[in-house]
Every structure is written in C-alpha cells, then in structure tokens.
Amino acid sequence: MLGRLLARKTDFTGVDGITGAESATGIELRRTLGPWGLTALGIGAVIGGGIFVITGQAAAEHAGPAILLSFIIAAVCCSFTALCYAEFATLIPMSGSSYSYAYATLGELAAWFIGWNMVLEYGVSASAVAVSWTGYFTSLLDHVGVHLPPQLTNAPLAFTNDHIVATGALINLPAVILVLGLTWLCYVGIRESSGVNTAMVALKVALIIIVIVAGWHYVDPQLWHPFIPEAQSAEKYGWGGIMRAATLVFFAYIGFEATSTAAQEAKNPQRDLPIGTLASLAICTILYIGMALVLTGLLPYDQLGTSEPVVTAVKAHPQLDWLRWLVEVGAMVGLASVVLVMIIAQPRIFMIMGRDGMLPPVFAKIHPKYRTPHINTLITGCGIAALAAVFPLDVLGDLVSMGTLIAFVAVCLGVLILRKTRPELPRTFRVPVAPVTCTLGVLSCLMLLYWENWYNWTLMGLWTVLGFVIYFGYGYRHSKLRKTN
C-alpha cells in the first residue's frame, strides 16, 4: 500500500501525463496568455488585502515601523520559492501548480495533501479578500450619502478570544454579489477575464504609485522612531512581533505563483512562466515596501489597526483629502482583481485533480463553447461566496498562510528531488545554486510556520483530516495513475 501512496507521475509528454493540455473530452484550453498577461495575473493575485488591510493591522498590533522588515523577510522566503516555481513551470508546464509538481516528485499522497491545502490558498483566501472589499465599498457609499444596513454588510460570525461568536448580522451581501459577478466573468472565458484583470491591475498599480508619491511629501520621519518598538509580549513588538507580522504579511504575498496554474493557457510556457512569476513578485515587493514606509510615516503606527488603514492614514492629513476617493476606488479595484485571479486559479487545480481521478470526472469537464472549466468555476465561485457571506477576514487568514507555506516546502523539495531522479529532462530555467536556494526556501518557510499559534495548528490538523477522508474515500480508489500501473 505504501508503494501505491508514493506512486509518482513519470510521463512528461503525453496527454495523460503531466504536460497534457487536453481534457477528458479532448477539448483544449485556449492559449491566450503572454508574459505581460501572466505578470498581470500574478500581480492581480498578490496586490490586494495585503497593501490595503494587513499592512496597517500588522504594524499596529505586532511590528510597528519595523513592518518593513516583516515584508522583506516574507519576500525573501517567497523569492526562494519563486525560483523553484519558475524551474518547475518550464519543466512541467501544466495547470495544477504545486499539486502537479508534488505528483511528479513526492508521490500521490503528498500531491493530494498539497492540492487540498491549495484550496485554502485560493478559495478560502478569496473569501477573505472579498470581505475586505466590502469595507471599502461601504465606505465609498457613505461618502455619497448611501448607507447600507450593517446587518447586510457584515459577517454573522466573528472570531473573539479564540472562540467563534454571533455578531447579529445576517450576511455580507456586497461580498457575495462581487464573487458571483466575477464567477460569471470567469465562466465565459479566460481571454475576457484576463483582459479585465489586466485593466484592473494597471489601474490599481497606478493608484498605489500616486498614493506613495503624494504621501511621501507629508511623511514625518520621527514617526519611524523607535524603528523596532520595545517588546510588550512574545508577539507584540520587538523581534518576536516582527516575525509574527511576517507570518501575517506573508498572506499578502500569496498568489504570485498563480501564474503557474495557467500554464496550459500560456502561449509559450517555457519562456513566459518564469518571467511572469518572478516579475510579479518583484513588482509587488517594491510596492509593498513603499506603501509600508508611507503609512507608518503619515500616522503613528498604533493608530493603523483599522479595517481601512490607507484611508485612515490619508484622512489624518487634510492636504491629502483629494486622495481619499482614489484610495477607496483603488482598494476596491485591487481587492476585486485578487478575487478574480483566485477564481481563475482554483478551478484549474480541481480540473487537473479530476483528470487524475482524484476527484469525480465532472471536475475534469471543459465547456465546449467557452473552453473553460465551467463546472469547477461554478463550484469555486459558490463556495467562495458562501464563506464570504458568513465569516470575517481574520477567521481563516492564518490557516491560509499555513497551507500555502506547506505547499511551498513541497515545491522547494521537489526541485531537488527531480534534479537527482530526472537530471536528463530539459530545463529552460534552472534554479541557481539549487542545493543552497532550495534548502533556504524550505528553512524560511518552516521558520514562518514556527511562529503560527497553537490553535492555527489545531485548525490545520482538522482540515488535513477532512482532506484525507476524501482522498481515501474516493481518490485512492479511482486514481488513474494506479489503474495504469
């Protein structure tokens, strides 16, 4: 049985192998994405909740002005992994991201474990970002005199003192409408959704740059002192707070590898995927650091712990009142683009898992007209909408980061394993000094996992058990790889 659980994919060329581009019905996905489209896809997935929400909260509650160091620590961790993703993307240019990579190197059981965690990375995190979008949306409506009832704009559940409690609200309706609207867009085709995403990315990056440039003139350097506030607890300020904040802002980087899930829709995946992955990470890191410097320079860091910290910082300076509208619109666009990319990415994970027999055949279907994984898109969109309707932002945020970090560990290990087991495979991009880079990638991810709270590990354990129940109940018995062996 152990041998079956460790069974790996070894066919890198055929339709039924790792690089196959056809569905069970023989219908191919449409190849429309070039390097700029893939870069926009990555930026669209990354810039959102991190720059508009988590930056201020992490600074206020954990790191202070040293949030800059937290971003750098998280970026370094992601950089190691990005290089590994880039090599895998050129070697195994198939939808499925780290799930496909793990299947080729670590075996079927590990692949299922990674794929199951990717549901957290894409699906659950999209719900959290949709909830963040509601805050900026209602704030914008308030400015024009439209006030929605709180019962329809807040989650009915909240996480307080390690317990889930009722808030008295009914549903987060704006978040639900946003998710369902973007789901329809993804249903009709990636060309249309990619075009909308590229436009949203261009708009929000321009607005972020405007905020950084305009806000820089009003930055008070005295607010950066002390740069590392004196520790008040193990996780509040000091180096412990910096590391805890790094685990939070890591959530802000989630999505840079979303480019690899669209490998089958890339025009030239061997060339374009490394460009898209690395370029999107570099651009986002620069923007994050710039925004962190401006926010902590405009307002004392302990006042940034609001649901809309960018607006809070701008409001503190009457001279920047003209920026308030731009910030709110930019936040809405940025957060919406993150949800869009997640809805694009998650169905393609389900698609490849269904093609492998790990999920029912319905998950492997592609629409004959739109040539999109339409059923997966509907399932993903409805699931994201349901979670966004009920849960607040902070309930599963750490769980999302944990699942993603575990997937990153698998990718870094996978590069080393394939270098040993399949050295003859052509690699148009190779991780520089792979033994060192991959090892540092694994260690940096484990370091961030170490700073997670015990109750997050408990939730992760429950999520893992649920995943294994599904695997042994269906995937193990229907795996196509096992049937061919």
Side-chain angles (χ1 to χ4, degrees), residues 45-165:
V46 173
I47 295 181
I51 216 168
F52 297 115
V53 181
I54 295 178
T55 301
Q57 295 179 351
E61 300 172 9
H62 298 287
I67 186 66
L68 175 64
L69 298 180
S70 300
F71 272 116
I72 293 175
I73 291 171
V76 169
C77 175
C78 291
S79 297
F80 293 133
T81 309
L83 293 171
C84 296
Y85 265 104
E87 176 168 327
F88 260 133
T90 61
L91 182 64
I92 311 174
M94 180 182 186
S95 297
S97 190
S98 52
Y99 162 77
S100 296
Y101 307 156
Y103 215 153
T105 57
L106 303 177
E108 183 175 280
L109 182 63
W112 170 266
F113 177 63
I114 298 303
W116 184 243
N117 285 331
M118 292 183 71
V119 177
L120 296 176
E121 179 180 357
Y122 294 123
V124 179
S125 64
S127 301
V129 174
V131 171
S132 302
W133 184 88
T134 297
Y136 282 92
F137 175 70
T138 55
S139 177
L140 184 62
L141 290 182
D142 288 342
H143 285 173
V144 297
V146 178
H147 305 286
L148 299 178
Q151 293 83 356
L152 298 180
T153 58
N154 290 285
L157 300 177
F159 195 64
T160 304
N161 296 325
D162 298 346
H163 293 87
I164 295 180
V165 298

Side-chain angles (χ1 to χ4, degrees), residues 303-473:
Q303 299 179 27
L304 292 172
T306 67
S307 60
E308 46 183 25
V310 182
V311 170
T312 301
V314 169
K315 287 169 59 178
H317 296 266
Q319 305 94 325
L320 295 176
D321 188 63
W322 61 274
L323 263 183
R324 186 174 178 180
W325 292 93
L326 290 178
V327 168
E328 290 179 333
V329 172
M332 289 176 56
V333 172
L335 296 171
S337 68
V338 172
V339 178
L340 173 62
V341 172
M342 297 307 180
I343 297 176
I344 292 174
Q346 181 61 67
R348 284 148 181 83
I349 305 296
F350 284 149
M351 179 187 69
I352 198 66
M353 295 175 76
R355 188 179 302 166
D356 290 335
M358 308 284 272
L359 292 174
V362 67
F363 284 88
K365 289 188 176 181
I366 295 177
H367 196 285
K369 177 182 178 181
Y370 299 122
R371 293 165 68 183
T372 59
H374 57 300
I375 297 179
N376 285 334
T377 299
L378 292 177
I379 293 173
T380 299
C382 292
I384 293 173
L387 291 175
V390 176
F391 293 103
L393 174 63
D394 57 351
V395 170
L396 293 176
D398 280 326
L399 187 58
V400 172
S401 295
M402 293 180 71
T404 306
L405 284 166
I406 292 172
F408 285 4
V409 169
V411 170
C412 293
L413 289 175
V415 168
L416 288 178
I417 292 174
L418 270 190
R419 287 285 186 94
K420 295 292 185 181
T421 59
R422 300 298 297 276
E424 79 284 358
L425 292 173
R427 294 167 169 84
T428 57
F429 177 86
R430 298 176 66 89
V431 174
V433 197
V436 176
T437 302
C438 297
T439 300
L440 290 175
V442 171
L443 293 177
S444 60
C445 290
L446 293 178
M447 177 186 66
L448 292 181
L449 283 170
Y450 171 80
W451 287 92
E452 293 286 357
N453 293 318
W454 66 267
Y455 54 85
N456 292 326
W457 282 105
T458 302
L459 292 174
M460 188 66 193
L462 294 174
W463 177 259
T464 300
V465 170
L466 176 61
F468 283 147
V469 168
I470 296 175
Y471 171 71
F472 287 107

Side-chain angles (χ1 to χ4, degrees), residues 136-378:
Y136 282 92
F137 175 70
T138 55
S139 177
L140 184 62
L141 290 182
D142 288 342
H143 285 173
V144 297
V146 178
H147 305 286
L148 299 178
Q151 293 83 356
L152 298 180
T153 58
N154 290 285
L157 300 177
F159 195 64
T160 304
N161 296 325
D162 298 346
H163 293 87
I164 295 180
V165 298
T167 64
L170 299 177
I171 186 176
N172 190 331
L173 187 59
V176 172
I177 294 175
L178 170 70
V179 171
L180 294 181
L182 294 177
T183 298
W184 170 83
L185 184 63
C186 293
Y187 183 95
V188 300
I190 193 168
R191 173 179 294 174
E192 290 75 11
S193 57
S194 177
V196 172
N197 176 66
T198 301
M200 288 194 295
V201 168
L203 176 60
K204 71 179 178 180
V205 169
L207 289 173
I208 290 170
I209 293 175
I210 291 174
V211 170
I212 293 174
V213 173
W216 191 262
H217 294 286
Y218 300 95
V219 164
D220 180 5
Q222 294 300 318
L223 295 178
W224 293 333
H225 300 285
F227 184 68
I228 302 179
E230 183 178 354
Q232 298 182 10
S233 67
E235 296 185 352
K236 188 166 186 178
Y237 307 141
W239 277 102
I242 291 172
M243 296 306 300
R244 179 63 179 129
T247 66
L248 294 177
V249 300
F250 175 82
F251 177 84
Y253 282 100
I254 290 176
F256 73 86
E257 81 291 355
T259 54
S260 63
T261 67
Q264 288 181 293
E265 289 136 299
K267 296 176 181 178
N268 186 348
Q270 282 77 10
R271 181 200 67 186
D272 297 342
L273 285 174
I275 295 175
T277 301
L278 296 174
S280 60
L281 179 60
I283 293 171
C284 293
T285 299
I286 293 172
L287 293 176
Y288 275 144
I289 291 176
M291 184 65 84
L293 285 171
V294 169
L295 289 184
T296 55
L298 289 177
L299 194 68
Y301 60 84
D302 56 357
Q303 299 179 27
L304 292 172
T306 67
S307 60
E308 46 183 25
V310 182
V311 170
T312 301
V314 169
K315 287 169 59 178
H317 296 266
Q319 305 94 325
L320 295 176
D321 188 63
W322 61 274
L323 263 183
R324 186 174 178 180
W325 292 93
L326 290 178
V327 168
E328 290 179 333
V329 172
M332 289 176 56
V333 172
L335 296 171
S337 68
V338 172
V339 178
L340 173 62
V341 172
M342 297 307 180
I343 297 176
I344 292 174
Q346 181 61 67
R348 284 148 181 83
I349 305 296
F350 284 149
M351 179 187 69
I352 198 66
M353 295 175 76
R355 188 179 302 166
D356 290 335
M358 308 284 272
L359 292 174
V362 67
F363 284 88
K365 289 188 176 181
I366 295 177
H367 196 285
K369 177 182 178 181
Y370 299 122
R371 293 165 68 183
T372 59
H374 57 300
I375 297 179
N376 285 334
T377 299
L378 292 177

